[in-house]
Amino acid sequence: MPTRPSSFATAPAAAIALALLTASAHAGDLRGRIELTDLGAFTDPTSLDASLGAEDRNDVLGDLRIMYEPRWDNWDFSFAYRLSADVGRGVELARDTAALMPPKPPATLFDLTQDIVNTDHALVTQKIDRLSLGYSSGNFVARVGRQALTWGAGTVFHPMDLVDPFAPETVDTEYKPGVDMAYVQMLFDDGSDLQAIAVPRRATPGGQVTLDASTLALHYHRTLGDIGLTAILARDHGDWTAGLGLSGALGGAVWNAELVPTLLPDGTLRTSGLVNISGATTIFDRNATLFAEYFHNGFGAANGSALDALPADLVDRLSRGQVFNTSRNYLAAGLSLEWTPLFTISPSVILNLDDKSLDLAAEANWSLNDNLNLIAGVQVPVGPSGTEFGGLPVSGGGAPYAEPPTTAYMQLRQYF
């Protein structure tokens, strides 16, 4: 397959050159990260992956991120360039799988991604992931451009995070994808703050910006005694979404609760929510942090629903990356155990309370020096066919099943 350049063909390279030339005068503001990963994935013969010729596969991935974040008095500038490579069978599988799913609407206003190489078994892309200008003074902050924003206090699930949240199974959560938006924050004398965002989007690639594809939202936070209170109100993708979050201390632990009702255009009300608790302790005389989280997905479907029979409002959110699970009730738990100051083990589990399937994960992180980490991990879905983590049928009640693969990976992560 020949290389297919995007419509945004030369601007990323020009922006990179400009930023690096500018950075030469402010070298202390330039930093970055390099990742090299070997990933193996394995599925059953009845899986959708197997039907597409990728029952077992191995991919080698590389990722370079360069960040330039200078400040001048009240002004700040943020720029991040990302170069990503994937060599292996996963490239063609991702393309084949995407062709079977509803098209994804544009996640952000401008297309700042370019394919450098795009063949059957190799994909190299470059992307501008941050490009924003900010101003802050006293009790006022404003920022315009490509930036990242996180709302809510979810550990694994994020119902209150409306703008490009992380999926529950995401391994690398150091940098959230940037989104084109305008952001304003007002800080008040009582310690509370009010944030406002406008995230313009197009309904289709190259189409017009529409209100029903965009997000306009307010976020308010304050402390009432020992309780933290968060509230949101948003016009999001044509829906009205509200949210109420409470947080506090329980002994030596911290708890959070969120309730997020969404009013659809047809008048249907879907309510999601979560409760979690986390705290620090010692296990085997070693430092550890533990968490547990219950999540209710208000858009969830009945057990065993085939992918082509999922409710339309759930499919919409799956396609645009706001919801990642198809059932209604989940329990997640995990810990991070500091075996030595340089070696940490982090096992976790996500249990689907409706069909009893589960996703097991474990990761070990070894700090080789101040700027170099070796990371190894596995993710193992467990459950019979017809369950979410065992694999839902693509259509009808039989094979092929959309089975999450068992994966094992090893990664070197270098910071500079």
Side-chain angles (χ1 to χ4, degrees):
M1 181 180 298
T3 300
R4 297 195 300 263
S6 73
S7 58
F8 195 79
T10 59
I16 298 159
L18 176 62
L20 293 180
L21 286 172
T22 307
S24 63
H26 303 274
D29 298 316
L30 189 67
R31 58 193 176 91
R33 188 188 73 173
I34 301 173
E35 291 180 343
L36 295 175
T37 307
D38 186 72
L39 173 71
F42 316 93
T43 58
D44 293 329
T46 57
S47 69
L48 175 62
D49 291 5
S51 72
L52 295 173
E55 180 178 345
D56 301 329
R57 62 187 187 277
N58 179 257
D59 283 68
V60 177
L61 303 99
D63 189 88
L64 166 67
R65 185 182 184 92
I66 299 173
M67 293 163 287
Y68 176 55
E69 297 177 320
R71 294 188 63 90
W72 304 278
D73 297 324
N74 298 104
W75 295 89
D76 64 85
F77 176 72
S78 179
F79 173 87
Y81 166 76
R82 185 179 179 190
L83 178 68
S84 302
D86 184 351
V87 179
R89 182 64 183 85
V91 175
E92 189 174 8
L93 176 65
R95 188 181 301 121
D96 292 343
T97 303
L100 300 175
M101 304 300 176
K104 293 184 178 182
T108 192
L109 180 60
F110 298 108
D111 180 9
L112 303 185
T113 301
Q114 177 192 11
D115 289 352
I116 300 173
V117 176
N118 191 342
T119 67
D120 287 348
H121 296 286
L123 177 63
V124 180
T125 63
Q126 62 177 351
K127 174 183 180 180
I128 295 177
D129 194 45
R130 298 283 191 277
L131 186 63
S132 66
L133 181 65
Y135 176 84
S136 58
S137 177
N139 61 352
F140 176 77
V141 178
R143 185 167 291 107
V144 177
R146 180 156 296 187
Q147 54 193 295
L149 175 74
T150 298
W151 284 350
T155 302
V156 175
F157 303 96
H158 309 279
M160 197 177 281
D161 196 3
L162 302 179
V163 182
D164 216 353
F166 284 119
E169 70 277 7
T170 301
V171 172
D172 182 4
T173 57
E174 283 192 342
Y175 299 106
K176 194 177 184 186
V179 174
D180 300 322
M181 72 174 79
Y183 169 88
V184 174
Q185 181 184 34
M186 294 292 297
L187 306 170
F188 302 105
D189 293 339
D190 61 3
S192 63
D193 74 275
L194 177 66
Q195 302 173 46
I197 61 169
V199 186
R201 300 189 191 90
R202 309 176 197 277
T204 58
Q208 297 294 317
V209 174
T210 67
L211 179 61
D212 284 347
S214 302
T215 298
L216 303 173
L218 297 172
H219 175 286
Y220 177 73
H221 177 77
R222 71 167 301 163
T223 300
L224 299 173
D226 294 330
I227 301 297
L229 180 147
T230 300
I232 66 170
L233 179 64
R235 175 71 171 175
D236 178 53
H237 291 276
D239 306 324
W240 285 102
T241 299
L244 176 65
L246 299 174
S247 61
L250 181 64
V254 176
W255 61 268
N256 298 279
E258 295 179 359
L259 192 66
V260 186
T262 300
L263 182 65
L264 306 183
D266 64 2
T268 303
L269 184 67
R270 306 285 192 198
T271 302
S272 299
L274 64 78
V275 178
N276 64 34
I277 188 167
S278 61
T281 186
T282 57
I283 301 175
F284 307 122
D285 295 324
R286 292 171 168 85
N287 295 329
T289 57
L290 301 90
F291 76 88
E293 181 169 86
Y294 166 74
F295 169 63
H296 175 73
N297 177 14
F299 295 93
N303 291 347
S305 297
L307 293 186
D308 65 353
L310 294 176
D313 52 6
L314 173 59
V315 173
D316 286 345
R317 282 152 184 81
L318 290 170
S319 66
R320 68 187 185 223
Q322 282 189 311
V323 173
F324 303 92
N325 298 91
T326 59
S327 289
R328 296 170 180 166
N329 297 287
Y330 297 85
L331 179 65
L335 67 89
S336 179
L337 177 64
E338 188 181 276
W339 194 257
T340 73
L342 301 178
F343 185 71
T344 303
I345 305 169
S346 304
S348 63
V349 60
I350 300 174
L351 171 63
N352 182 321
L353 295 172
D354 298 322
D355 65 20
K356 305 306 184 289
S357 64
L358 51 88
D359 185 74
L360 301 171
E363 184 175 272
N365 190 315
W366 184 17
S367 177
L368 302 178
N369 61 42
D370 289 345
N371 296 309
L372 180 64
N373 290 0
L374 176 63
I375 301 166
V378 295
Q379 291 187 326
V380 183
V382 179
S385 297
T387 61
E388 181 172 13
F389 295 117
L392 295 174
V394 175
S395 181
Y401 296 96
E403 172 192 329
T406 295
T407 60
Y409 57 91
M410 183 168 290
Q411 179 183 90
L412 275 174
R413 186 179 294 176
Q414 172 75 54
Y415 300 91
F416 60 89

